[in-house]
Amino acid sequence: GFQGACCAVGKLVVPATAQLFNGILPKFLPIPSKSHYLFNLRDFARVIGGVLLLPASQCEDPDTLVRLWLHEVYRVFYDRLTDAEDRQAFFEMSQTVISSVFKKDMNTL
């Protein structure tokens, strides 16, 4: 199974995803030029599902799990964003979530 530190961080994956998802919904609304900005619970589940694919043998420290979570939210949400302003806003939102939920600094992961 997972080591104790990875288990503790693993329990934060859902609240972190929820906080980011709830920040994304009102910020990135679909408009005619960005009609693909439709985010739903399936996207939320894709983030969690991607994190769950990590084998216990590969989770050597908690930072690995946080980096994987960041990779998954970028894969699911960030890749849909089309302009630099939206991408910068997403970067700042993810940085805030990492510091408030995981208690980590994104620059040291």
Side-chain angles (χ1 to χ4, degrees):
F2 286 94
Q3 299 173 3
C6 285
C7 283
V9 171
K11 292 179 182 180
L12 300 175
V13 168
V14 172
T17 308
Q19 183 176 333
L20 187 64
F21 183 74
N22 289 330
I24 287 171
L25 289 180
K27 176 76 176 164
F28 304 121
L29 297 172
I31 58 173
S33 64
K34 300 174 184 178
S35 60
H36 58 282
Y37 280 21
L38 292 172
F39 302 105
N40 56 43
L41 287 177
R42 182 175 293 155
D43 300 316
F44 187 102
R46 286 174 53 205
V47 171
I48 303 302
V51 172
L52 289 174
L53 292 175
L54 177 69
S57 61
Q58 298 295 317
C59 189
E60 296 153 0
D61 66 342
D63 287 351
T64 301
L65 195 56
V66 178
R67 282 193 303 271
L68 175 62
W69 176 83
L70 185 62
H71 168 79
E72 290 299 321
V73 296
Y74 266 67
R75 180 182 67 83
V76 172
F77 299 116
Y78 183 88
D79 286 351
R80 288 196 213 165
L81 304 178
T82 55
D83 61 10
E85 183 180 319
D86 290 347
R87 289 182 174 180
Q88 181 62 32
F90 183 87
F91 173 79
E92 291 167 2
M93 291 168 73
S94 59
Q95 195 171 32
T96 301
V97 170
I98 287 175
S99 66
S100 67
V101 176
F102 293 112
K103 309 293 188 236
K104 303 274 184 184
D105 180 16
M106 193 164 149
N107 297 322
T108 61
L109 290 176

